[in-house]
Amino acid sequence: MPQARYRICPLCEATCGLEFVIDGRKVLSIRGDEKDGFSEGYICPKGVALKELDADPDRLRTPMVREGETWREASWDEAFVTIDRRLNAIIKEHGRNSVGVYVGNPSVHNTGLALYTQALRKALGTPNVFSAGTVDQMPKQVSSALMFGTGLSIPIPDLDRTQYLMVIGANPLESNGSLMTAPNVGERLKRIQKRGGKIVVIDPRFSKTAEMADEHHDIRPGTDAYFLFAMVNVLFADGLVDMGQIAEHVRGLDEVRELAAPFTPEAVAEKCGIAAADIRRLARELANAESAAIHARIGASTQEFGTLANWLPDVIHVLTGNLDRPGGAMFTNPAHGAGNAKGKSGIGKGFRMGRTKTRVRGLAEVFSEFPVAVLAEEIEAPGEGQIRAMICIAGNPVRSTLNSGRMERAFASLDFMISLDIYLNETSRFADVILPGLSPLENCHYDMAFAQLAIQEHARFSPAMFDVPEGQQPEWKTMLRLVGLITGMGPNADVDLLDDYVMQQMIEREAALDTSPIHGRNTADIMKALEPRRGPERMIDFMLRTGPLGDGFGARPGELTLATLEANPHGVRIGPLEPRIPDVLRTPTGKIELAPELLVADTARLREKLGAPDPGMVLVGRRHLRSNNSWMHNAPLLMGGKARCTMQIHPDDAARLDIEDGQLASVASRVGRIEVAAEVTEDIMRGVISVPHGWGHGAPGTRLGVANAHPGANSNALADEELLDVPSGNAVLCGIPVTVAPVVRSSAAREMAVAK
Ligand SMILES: Nc1nc2c(c(=O)[nH]1)N[C@H]1C(S)=C(S)[C@@H](COP(=O)(O)OP(=O)(O)OC[C@H]3O[C@@H](n4cnc5c(=O)[nH]c(N)nc54)[C@H](O)[C@@H]3O)O[C@H]1N2
Ligand SMILES: Nc1nc2c(c(=O)[nH]1)N[C@H]1C(S)=C(S)[C@@H](COP(=O)(O)OP(=O)(O)OC[C@H]3O[C@@H](n4cnc5c(=O)[nH]c(N)nc54)[C@H](O)[C@@H]3O)O[C@H]1N2
Ligand code: SF4
Ligand SMILES: [Mo]
């Protein structure tokens, strides 16, 4: 009998509610859940493709063990015995630092991984932890932590109420939004216009979002900090600074005024490629709007001045009175509890980075990890602390991070590698043992990260839709089994016992806070109250119950528990974001730090580079609705239509370089070279090319039938591990200097060459 089931899509930050019709273990159909008040029935093609992901014959369902250049299926016991023997031998001989960990993006979308990765890290005790965060949002985490006290104190554009939205280096119409969980984002943007508001896009490409916006400006890649500083300059010069309610909580106003002084619109116009008059007008418009928010993402983050370009939008929010007010940029207060809602209110320890440094290049640690830009060199360089074994969790660093050629050689040179993955792909092919995850439909799901980044307060939980198949196991158990093996309990540790231990620790940490509803309570009593739940569900129940709306284990009877969410399959809507200043602040001064030292220092670098020569042709990326970084190209539903991995180039550049539409072009950077078909289009700025990332399939040994038939070119073969945003160590993926040439000269060009 067909049955309807509701669950949250785990694929991207939009977190759409979906309606599944299933018959036994079979998915009959998937569509948007009209009754989900947050996502409003929206679904994108990737959500529909969950059916193919679930049924994909290439998706791994048993551990794989490598033998030479081939792999064979292995039992879980064999896989763990192998790991126990080889990994522990390396730790014994070379110490804990010889093990590196890379945590990929789906770890944030997979509840079991999100909740248990920390236990593994703790058990390993290595500082050599890397993640996709340093090819993504690290600049925003650093700027937020410096200004507001924690790395997740990220102001979110209040999309449903704003009257003016400036989008900088983001394309939510294709990406569905990031650090701004807003399902059905296209409609939400249209509603801004319908209520008389305005949308402005700053992007070197005329993206889909630019197409629907009221105004679009090209910008030279990597120059957003200049543009934003010039806006700040105008706010001061024109007497438009009005911080409103939060003024008394702000420190560093005079410093910011001084810092912005040299960056007049005239001084930066040429650098940015935006006319001074436009910059001036945009600053005035934003300041005079009834409310305004800036949404800056990947283009503003993965670039030379990423931290500055993520700090300045919040400076502008503060200066224009838009921080912490409806329609501006606001802090969330998620139901499962956030770091900036715990402990003492309005003050905190603040943020320190660089507590340790990388061995080879001496780059600073940031949020207990190192920039992924140093991963290859830390594997290659011999000596004390060299990484000899890697554990790669839900990541594809040889396609999604930097200098793929070098990264591949580094991975191939490891003594031992484990991948937790659902595919045998470009990265996991280097592993000695691959431990497979489940189908997303076999996992329970609660979006911890994205509830914290959402434009509305809500809470939604999806129990596993299908049972764990015979012979498979959820990834949180895999993690705990690894923890057991690393802590000397052997390859077959008692996972339940470890899970109890991890849970008890979590309770003890919470109960120690004198502001917690369970302060001073007995751990055993709380454990008992959580019965019979286990694993991620037990943790989520605990977090909800100790969160701002929770029942506090009896302290607030009748309030939220996981059972409430189980009884509401379309989710619980809590309401719009509410002002949280000053309570949300966790800086040591209890103030908003408008001019943190680290960023003041980096402004000197910005000033110095103002007169630097133009780098010539530069590469930026882009996203397509039917891709998801590097890993969803194996779903046939997403692979139809014309090839998407093209190099977009402006007609003037194409003519100058003698490249025709559809022709294969060669693109080279300091670190690599690719060949990719040209797409000649006015939608990209002169001097800029765009190639999407996540392609370059067809590597030997991979098991990706569909993706390998549509390989595309790997843009990250060009990504240079030496180009960094200095304060955060984040990689530069937008604005990589390249040279572009035709692979085969066109006949017209040949004739001309002959005529000469
Ligand atoms: N040039 C360029 N490069 C970029 C970007 C860009 O804009 N331009 N964007 C960057 C960004 S924002 C990000 S977040 C990174 C992403 O970087 P990564 O996280 O390293 O890479 P992904 O491509 O997301 O690959 C995810 C891996 O997780 C596996 N996987 C999927 N679901 C599961 C699961 O449930 N369990 C397990 N164990 N594995 C699973 C997939 O098979 C795949 O191998 O890429 C970055 N790279
Ligand atoms: N369909 C789909 N959705 C996704 C993903 C996916 O791969 N596919 N990935 C997910 C992930 S992990 C993330 S982090 C988010 C990212 O979400 P977004 O940040 O919205 O990502 P993009 O679509 O890459 O948009 C970046 C834009 O920045 C522009 N840009 C490049 N360089 C510059 C610059 O120097 N300055 C300015 N102002 N603009 C610049 C590019 O032209 C591009 O239009 O998307 C998520 N959603
Ligand atoms: S927009 Fe994101 S969350 Fe919504 S259906 Fe598509 S992939 Fe899933
Ligand atoms: Mo990302």
Side-chain angles (χ1 to χ4, degrees), residues 457-480:
E457 302 294 2
H458 67 278
R460 297 173 299 171
F461 174 74
S462 314
M465 193 158 79
F466 298 133
D467 292 341
V468 176
E470 184 67 35
Q472 290 184 246
Q473 71 179 34
E475 292 194 276
W476 64 271
K477 288 196 179 175
T478 302
M479 288 289 210
L480 289 177

mmCIF file of all heavy atoms in Angstrom, residues 457-480:
data_model
loop_
_atom_site.group_PDB
_atom_site.id
_atom_site.type_symbol
_atom_site.label_atom_id
_atom_site.label_comp_id
_atom_site.label_asym_id
_atom_site.label_seq_id
_atom_site.Cartn_x
_atom_site.Cartn_y
_atom_site.Cartn_z
ATOM 1 N N GLU A 457 12.674 30.981 12.756
ATOM 2 C CA GLU A 457 12.873 29.949 13.780
ATOM 3 C C GLU A 457 11.874 28.823 13.516
ATOM 4 O O GLU A 457 10.679 29.050 13.337
ATOM 5 C CB GLU A 457 12.642 30.495 15.192
ATOM 6 C CG GLU A 457 13.537 31.670 15.581
ATOM 7 C CD GLU A 457 15.018 31.337 15.693
ATOM 8 O OE1 GLU A 457 15.420 30.192 15.447
ATOM 9 O OE2 GLU A 457 15.784 32.270 16.017
ATOM 10 N N HIS A 458 12.407 27.617 13.470
ATOM 11 C CA HIS A 458 11.554 26.463 13.229
ATOM 12 C C HIS A 458 12.290 25.248 13.760
ATOM 13 O O HIS A 458 13.496 25.321 14.012
ATOM 14 C CB HIS A 458 11.302 26.291 11.729
ATOM 15 C CG HIS A 458 12.548 25.908 10.996
ATOM 16 N ND1 HIS A 458 13.481 26.845 10.613
ATOM 17 C CD2 HIS A 458 13.065 24.704 10.640
ATOM 18 C CE1 HIS A 458 14.503 26.234 10.031
ATOM 19 N NE2 HIS A 458 14.285 24.945 10.051
ATOM 20 N N ALA A 459 11.591 24.148 13.908
ATOM 21 C CA ALA A 459 12.263 22.911 14.290
ATOM 22 C C ALA A 459 11.571 21.767 13.571
ATOM 23 O O ALA A 459 10.343 21.656 13.603
ATOM 24 C CB ALA A 459 12.204 22.711 15.803
ATOM 25 N N ARG A 460 12.363 20.981 12.887
ATOM 26 C CA ARG A 460 11.794 19.862 12.141
ATOM 27 C C ARG A 460 12.691 18.643 12.289
ATOM 28 O O ARG A 460 13.913 18.755 12.228
ATOM 29 C CB ARG A 460 11.654 20.244 10.657
ATOM 30 C CG ARG A 460 10.695 21.408 10.427
ATOM 31 C CD ARG A 460 10.705 21.882 8.983
ATOM 32 N NE ARG A 460 12.022 22.353 8.606
ATOM 33 C CZ ARG A 460 12.362 22.664 7.358
ATOM 34 N NH1 ARG A 460 11.479 22.558 6.386
ATOM 35 N NH2 ARG A 460 13.583 23.083 7.091
ATOM 36 N N PHE A 461 12.077 17.514 12.455
ATOM 37 C CA PHE A 461 12.832 16.269 12.615
ATOM 38 C C PHE A 461 12.276 15.214 11.667
ATOM 39 O O PHE A 461 11.062 15.085 11.528
ATOM 40 C CB PHE A 461 12.731 15.773 14.069
ATOM 41 C CG PHE A 461 13.359 14.423 14.274
ATOM 42 C CD1 PHE A 461 14.751 14.296 14.297
ATOM 43 C CD2 PHE A 461 12.580 13.283 14.416
ATOM 44 C CE1 PHE A 461 15.343 13.055 14.477
ATOM 45 C CE2 PHE A 461 13.170 12.029 14.602
ATOM 46 C CZ PHE A 461 14.557 11.923 14.633
ATOM 47 N N SER A 462 13.173 14.486 11.042
ATOM 48 C CA SER A 462 12.746 13.381 10.175
ATOM 49 C C SER A 462 13.301 12.078 10.718
ATOM 50 O O SER A 462 14.523 11.894 10.716
ATOM 51 C CB SER A 462 13.294 13.554 8.760
ATOM 52 O OG SER A 462 13.115 14.870 8.298
ATOM 53 N N PRO A 463 12.436 11.183 11.183
ATOM 54 C CA PRO A 463 12.946 9.860 11.556
ATOM 55 C C PRO A 463 13.409 9.136 10.288
ATOM 56 O O PRO A 463 13.034 9.528 9.182
ATOM 57 C CB PRO A 463 11.736 9.156 12.174
ATOM 58 C CG PRO A 463 10.543 9.941 11.784
ATOM 59 C CD PRO A 463 10.975 11.292 11.311
ATOM 60 N N ALA A 464 14.223 8.116 10.447
ATOM 61 C CA ALA A 464 14.625 7.333 9.280
ATOM 62 C C ALA A 464 13.374 6.794 8.590
ATOM 63 O O ALA A 464 12.443 6.342 9.260
ATOM 64 C CB ALA A 464 15.539 6.196 9.707
ATOM 65 N N MET A 465 13.337 6.885 7.285
ATOM 66 C CA MET A 465 12.146 6.421 6.558
ATOM 67 C C MET A 465 12.211 4.918 6.324
ATOM 68 O O MET A 465 11.214 4.218 6.317
ATOM 69 C CB MET A 465 12.061 7.166 5.225
ATOM 70 C CG MET A 465 10.753 7.029 4.530
ATOM 71 S SD MET A 465 10.519 8.396 3.375
ATOM 72 C CE MET A 465 11.510 7.836 2.047
ATOM 73 N N PHE A 466 13.412 4.417 6.110
ATOM 74 C CA PHE A 466 13.610 2.987 5.871
ATOM 75 C C PHE A 466 14.558 2.435 6.926
ATOM 76 O O PHE A 466 15.431 3.139 7.432
ATOM 77 C CB PHE A 466 14.223 2.750 4.487
ATOM 78 C CG PHE A 466 13.351 3.211 3.342
ATOM 79 C CD1 PHE A 466 13.903 3.965 2.317
ATOM 80 C CD2 PHE A 466 12.003 2.882 3.283
ATOM 81 C CE1 PHE A 466 13.119 4.381 1.243
ATOM 82 C CE2 PHE A 466 11.209 3.297 2.218
ATOM 83 C CZ PHE A 466 11.762 4.055 1.195
ATOM 84 N N ASP A 467 14.383 1.127 7.218
ATOM 85 C CA ASP A 467 15.266 0.479 8.190
ATOM 86 C C ASP A 467 16.683 0.379 7.633
ATOM 87 O O ASP A 467 16.884 0.360 6.422
ATOM 88 C CB ASP A 467 14.774 -0.936 8.483
ATOM 89 C CG ASP A 467 13.454 -0.908 9.238
ATOM 90 O OD1 ASP A 467 13.147 0.149 9.827
ATOM 91 O OD2 ASP A 467 12.737 -1.924 9.197
ATOM 92 N N VAL A 468 17.611 0.274 8.546
ATOM 93 C CA VAL A 468 19.001 0.027 8.127
ATOM 94 C C VAL A 468 19.033 -1.365 7.499
ATOM 95 O O VAL A 468 18.636 -2.351 8.131
ATOM 96 C CB VAL A 468 19.945 0.093 9.341
ATOM 97 C CG1 VAL A 468 21.364 -0.259 8.919
ATOM 98 C CG2 VAL A 468 19.898 1.473 9.977
ATOM 99 N N PRO A 469 19.489 -1.463 6.253
ATOM 100 C CA PRO A 469 19.494 -2.776 5.603
ATOM 101 C C PRO A 469 20.424 -3.757 6.316
ATOM 102 O O PRO A 469 21.427 -3.340 6.912
ATOM 103 C CB PRO A 469 20.003 -2.481 4.193
ATOM 104 C CG PRO A 469 19.899 -1.011 4.003
ATOM 105 C CD PRO A 469 19.995 -0.399 5.372
ATOM 106 N N GLU A 470 20.086 -5.000 6.192
ATOM 107 C CA GLU A 470 20.910 -6.093 6.727
ATOM 108 C C GLU A 470 22.371 -5.907 6.286
ATOM 109 O O GLU A 470 22.629 -5.640 5.116
ATOM 110 C CB GLU A 470 20.315 -7.393 6.145
ATOM 111 C CG GLU A 470 20.914 -8.691 6.606
ATOM 112 C CD GLU A 470 20.655 -8.961 8.093
ATOM 113 O OE1 GLU A 470 19.568 -8.579 8.580
ATOM 114 O OE2 GLU A 470 21.546 -9.532 8.738
ATOM 115 N N GLY A 471 23.255 -5.994 7.219
ATOM 116 C CA GLY A 471 24.674 -5.914 6.843
ATOM 117 C C GLY A 471 25.199 -4.492 6.708
ATOM 118 O O GLY A 471 26.345 -4.290 6.332
ATOM 119 N N GLN A 472 24.378 -3.483 6.983
ATOM 120 C CA GLN A 472 24.881 -2.111 6.940
ATOM 121 C C GLN A 472 24.765 -1.496 8.328
ATOM 122 O O GLN A 472 24.122 -2.077 9.210
ATOM 123 C CB GLN A 472 24.107 -1.286 5.908
ATOM 124 C CG GLN A 472 24.430 -1.705 4.487
ATOM 125 C CD GLN A 472 23.744 -0.832 3.460
ATOM 126 O OE1 GLN A 472 22.886 -1.284 2.739
ATOM 127 N NE2 GLN A 472 24.127 0.420 3.413
ATOM 128 N N GLN A 473 25.354 -0.322 8.489
ATOM 129 C CA GLN A 473 25.248 0.314 9.804
ATOM 130 C C GLN A 473 25.252 1.836 9.665
ATOM 131 O O GLN A 473 25.844 2.366 8.739
ATOM 132 C CB GLN A 473 26.357 -0.166 10.745
ATOM 133 C CG GLN A 473 27.733 0.336 10.397
ATOM 134 C CD GLN A 473 28.781 -0.153 11.396
ATOM 135 O OE1 GLN A 473 28.703 -1.251 11.938
ATOM 136 N NE2 GLN A 473 29.770 0.681 11.649
ATOM 137 N N PRO A 474 24.549 2.526 10.565
ATOM 138 C CA PRO A 474 24.559 3.985 10.486
ATOM 139 C C PRO A 474 25.951 4.523 10.801
ATOM 140 O O PRO A 474 26.725 3.887 11.524
ATOM 141 C CB PRO A 474 23.549 4.422 11.553
ATOM 142 C CG PRO A 474 23.349 3.260 12.442
ATOM 143 C CD PRO A 474 23.736 2.021 11.686
ATOM 144 N N GLU A 475 26.238 5.701 10.269
ATOM 145 C CA GLU A 475 27.616 6.198 10.370
ATOM 146 C C GLU A 475 28.018 6.591 11.782
ATOM 147 O O GLU A 475 29.200 6.598 12.112
ATOM 148 C CB GLU A 475 27.809 7.354 9.389
ATOM 149 C CG GLU A 475 27.751 6.842 7.966
ATOM 150 C CD GLU A 475 28.264 7.833 6.943
ATOM 151 O OE1 GLU A 475 27.464 8.707 6.536
ATOM 152 O OE2 GLU A 475 29.432 7.756 6.553
ATOM 153 N N TRP A 476 27.051 6.933 12.629
ATOM 154 C CA TRP A 476 27.449 7.264 14.003
ATOM 155 C C TRP A 476 28.023 6.037 14.686
ATOM 156 O O TRP A 476 28.953 6.148 15.505
ATOM 157 C CB TRP A 476 26.287 7.879 14.787
ATOM 158 C CG TRP A 476 25.089 7.010 15.022
ATOM 159 C CD1 TRP A 476 24.003 6.878 14.211
ATOM 160 C CD2 TRP A 476 24.845 6.166 16.164
ATOM 161 N NE1 TRP A 476 23.094 6.004 14.762
ATOM 162 C CE2 TRP A 476 23.578 5.559 15.964
ATOM 163 C CE3 TRP A 476 25.560 5.877 17.320
ATOM 164 C CZ2 TRP A 476 23.013 4.672 16.881
ATOM 165 C CZ3 TRP A 476 25.000 4.989 18.255
ATOM 166 C CH2 TRP A 476 23.744 4.409 18.023
ATOM 167 N N LYS A 477 27.545 4.873 14.303
ATOM 168 C CA LYS A 477 28.113 3.648 14.892
ATOM 169 C C LYS A 477 29.508 3.389 14.333
ATOM 170 O O LYS A 477 30.408 2.948 15.052
ATOM 171 C CB LYS A 477 27.208 2.450 14.608
ATOM 172 C CG LYS A 477 25.920 2.485 15.407
ATOM 173 C CD LYS A 477 25.223 1.138 15.411
ATOM 174 C CE LYS A 477 23.956 1.216 16.250
ATOM 175 N NZ LYS A 477 23.162 -0.007 16.205
ATOM 176 N N THR A 478 29.660 3.670 13.038
ATOM 177 C CA THR A 478 30.989 3.531 12.430
ATOM 178 C C THR A 478 31.987 4.428 13.156
ATOM 179 O O THR A 478 33.105 4.020 13.485
ATOM 180 C CB THR A 478 30.918 3.923 10.934
ATOM 181 O OG1 THR A 478 29.955 3.086 10.302
ATOM 182 C CG2 THR A 478 32.261 3.787 10.259
ATOM 183 N N MET A 479 31.545 5.665 13.408
ATOM 184 C CA MET A 479 32.415 6.618 14.115
ATOM 185 C C MET A 479 32.807 6.078 15.479
ATOM 186 O O MET A 479 33.977 6.142 15.871
ATOM 187 C CB MET A 479 31.670 7.936 14.342
ATOM 188 C CG MET A 479 31.473 8.723 13.103
ATOM 189 S SD MET A 479 33.046 9.368 12.591
ATOM 190 C CE MET A 479 32.542 10.813 11.832
ATOM 191 N N LEU A 480 31.824 5.578 16.215
ATOM 192 C CA LEU A 480 32.121 5.104 17.569
ATOM 193 C C LEU A 480 33.015 3.867 17.538
ATOM 194 O O LEU A 480 33.878 3.697 18.406
ATOM 195 C CB LEU A 480 30.822 4.827 18.335
ATOM 196 C CG LEU A 480 30.038 6.082 18.733
ATOM 197 C CD1 LEU A 480 28.731 5.704 19.428
ATOM 198 C CD2 LEU A 480 30.870 6.999 19.649
#
